[in-house]
Amino acid sequence: MSIELRHFRCFLAIAETLSITRAAERLHLTQPAVSRTLRQLEQELGIRLVDRSTHHLALTPDGRAFRDRARIAVSAFDRALATAHLTEWPLRLGHAWSAAGTDTTALLRRWREEHPETPLELLRIDDRTAGLARGDVDAALLRGEVRAPGLITEQLATEPRVAGLPADDPLAGRTALALSELTDRTIALNTVSGITTLDLWPAGARPASSITIGNTDDWIAAITGGRAVGVTTSATAEMHPHPAMAYVPLTDAPPVPVVIAWRDGPGHPRIPDLIALARDVIGKATGSERARAR
């Protein structure tokens, strides 16, 4: 037996629903057919993908690792079919928030001038790697340390951190703040795509209260609504001005690296051109540093 795309789709349905029954409903198959397809895939790979020893299905460590590779393979196949009738092959650039800051427009316009034959699509995806790890985009502009396996990153610049406050907050009129001045506040933390955690504060001096947010829009809403304050980078202030929000520089918070990331392996043929342009537009004043994410 050889592995076919249907094996990948079946496994992904199981991985996403953690249920043979729900996977069968999604795929419009019978439960025995789904179980049989999963068993064939495991036998062909020689590894166990799903733990069936409890009342609830769970992916094994091998299953979690294979899930990411299967997503990339299925995404590439679907995209190949979707673009088969097109003479142009769009290059998808993901970002989790704020793209390239104030350099975003220059990056997009320069690309269109220099590579008119290849559309550059900028996509915001609320995910730590902006969809890159699962194959939704070809490259991504990310902030902070990126540890997803199979990705290569190159640092383009750094951005200073700022505090996000309601515009009528007593601290909003300050020219600068220290992290310690936020410890008695509730902190809004974007745990899906953000980089700020309570570890930013010294041990023993961390805020006692926080709320969990899923994206930049909700982060801004929580702050402007008076529920919390937050920490972000200067790019957010540049890309998301709001009449009810104040952004105040933080004097003792480390800057945040801005990186461009791509998958280690075959990809869109224009990725090297995108990296070169990003270096020129975003990183011309800071240089670059290349590192493999482990």
Side-chain angles (χ1 to χ4, degrees):
M1 188 206 82
S2 60
I3 296 177
E4 300 173 1
L5 190 63
R6 63 185 178 87
H7 293 95
F8 283 54
R9 294 195 190 279
C10 181
F11 169 68
L12 288 176
I14 295 171
E16 291 166 6
T17 63
L18 294 179
S19 166
I20 295 294
T21 300
R22 290 194 293 273
E25 292 173 350
R26 176 181 294 188
L27 298 170
H28 304 291
L29 297 172
T30 65
Q31 293 181 42
V34 170
S35 296
R36 183 170 58 253
T37 303
L38 173 62
R39 186 167 57 252
Q40 291 171 345
L41 179 61
E42 290 180 319
Q43 290 173 348
E44 190 69 18
L45 293 174
I47 57 177
R48 190 178 184 188
L49 300 172
V50 176
D51 184 358
R52 309 171 186 79
S53 61
T54 63
H55 294 296
H56 302 285
L57 293 184
L59 297 184
T60 65
D62 285 334
R64 289 192 294 272
F66 184 72
R67 174 191 58 195
D68 296 334
R69 295 192 291 270
R71 281 175 174 166
I72 291 173
V74 172
S75 176
F77 178 84
D78 289 342
R79 188 181 179 202
L81 290 183
T83 59
H85 64 287
L86 301 176
T87 57
E88 301 171 333
W89 181 2
L91 177 60
R92 302 165 302 172
L93 177 62
H95 69 103
W97 42 278
S98 296
T102 54
D103 292 321
T104 302
T105 298
L107 180 69
L108 297 176
R109 286 179 178 267
R110 282 275 305 275
W111 180 269
R112 186 175 181 181
E113 293 169 0
E114 298 176 17
H115 304 280
E117 74 288 350
T118 303
L120 179 60
E121 299 177 353
L122 185 66
L123 305 172
R124 174 183 146 182
I125 299 177
D126 293 318
D127 173 79
R128 184 64 189 93
T129 67
L132 181 62
R134 61 176 187 252
D136 292 341
V137 296
D138 302 297
L141 291 170
L142 305 172
R143 288 169 174 82
E145 184 178 2
V146 181
R147 297 182 178 178
L151 300 186
I152 300 173
T153 64
E154 180 172 319
Q155 183 170 318
L156 300 170
T158 60
E159 293 173 349
R161 297 190 199 237
V162 299
L165 305 161
D168 58 356
D169 189 281
L171 299 178
R174 296 275 296 276
T175 58
L177 292 171
L179 286 170
S180 60
E181 296 180 90
L182 304 178
T183 54
D184 62 344
R185 304 297 190 88
T186 297
I187 308 297
L189 302 175
N190 181 346
T191 57
V192 176
S193 58
I195 57 171
T196 299
T197 69
L198 295 182
D199 291 338
L200 181 63
W201 284 261
R206 291 171 182 158
S209 176
S210 65
I211 59 174
T212 298
I213 302 298
N215 57 60
T216 301
D217 295 335
D218 292 346
W219 182 86
I220 291 174
I223 294 171
T224 57
R227 295 180 59 207
V229 300
V231 175
T232 185
T233 75
S234 57
T236 305
E238 296 160 352
M239 298 294 286
H240 298 281
H242 193 290
M245 173 83 90
Y247 296 99
V248 182
L250 287 165
T251 58
D252 56 350
V256 174
V258 180
V259 305
I260 186 168
W262 64 97
R263 287 187 297 276
D264 186 8
H268 196 290
R270 292 299 182 201
I271 288 177
D273 297 321
L274 178 61
I275 296 168
L277 183 61
R279 287 189 196 120
D280 188 46
V281 173
I282 304 170
K284 56 181 178 291
T286 60
S288 59
E289 179 180 341
R290 184 171 180 161
R292 243 176 230 282
R294 299 293 183 185

